[in-house]
Structure formats: C-alpha cells, structure tokens
C-alpha cells in the first residue's frame, strides 16, 4: 500500500530525504562552528579563527563535492534506467 503511494507520488519522500540530508549537514556544521558565524566562514573567514578556516577550506569543498557526486550518480541511474528499460 505504501509502496504504491510512493511510486505514484515520490515528491513527499524526496522532500523528506532532502530535509534529512540538510539537517545532517547543518548539524555537522554546528559541531564545528556556532550558527552566528556560518556566513562569515563561507564568505570571508578570519585568518585567526581556525574553526572558520577549517569550515571554509575543508568542510565546504567536501560537502559541495559530496552533493555534486550524489546528484550525478542519481542522474546517471535515471538515464541508465531509461536507456535500458
């Protein structure tokens, strides 16, 4: 019953999964840096603050690559399913 609903309406499940991934990413960032300093760490980190430098030069590039690779793998899977039927 639930699987039929998910097959017909995948948007709620995809939204839930996206929110869960976003919550995990924000929770991970919150362990490294207080939320008030997030924008400063992304745009122009202070060179004296090691936490901001770690977020800017280590955490953000890894997170961006993880999201890009995941999206690419998902798109590749969809294309293969359509091509091979």
């Amino acid at each position: 019953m639930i699987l039929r609903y998910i097959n017909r309406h995948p948007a709620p499940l995809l939204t839930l999964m996206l929110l869960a991934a976003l919550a995990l990413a924000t929770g991970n960032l919150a362990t490294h840096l207080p939320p008030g300093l997030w924008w400063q760490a992304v745009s122009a980190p202070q060179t004296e603050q090691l936490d901001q430098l770690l977020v800017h030069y280590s955490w953000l590039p890894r997170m961006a690559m993880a999201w890009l690779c995941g999206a690419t793998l998902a798109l590749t899977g969809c294309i293969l399913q359509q091509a091979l039927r």
Side-chain angles (χ1 to χ4, degrees):
M1 180 87 176
I2 292 176
L3 290 177
R4 270 191 250 156
Y5 177 78
I6 291 173
N7 285 336
R8 291 182 186 167
H9 307 286
L13 179 64
L14 292 175
T15 305
L16 182 66
M17 290 173 62
L18 181 65
L19 287 175
L22 190 62
L24 286 172
T26 343
N28 188 14
L29 180 59
T31 62
H32 294 290
L33 199 64
L37 298 175
W38 288 358
W39 183 249
Q40 183 179 4
V42 169
S43 61
Q46 293 179 355
T47 55
E48 307 87 38
Q49 297 290 329
L50 184 60
D51 290 341
Q52 289 183 12
L53 289 174
L54 282 174
V55 166
H56 186 78
Y57 291 111
S58 179
W59 189 86
L60 286 176
R62 288 179 187 186
M63 184 59 65
M65 286 305 297
W67 283 81
L68 285 173
C69 291
T72 304
L73 286 171
L75 181 63
T76 304
C78 288
I79 291 172
L80 275 173
Q81 284 182 0
Q82 289 299 317
L84 299 177
R85 270 283 160 186

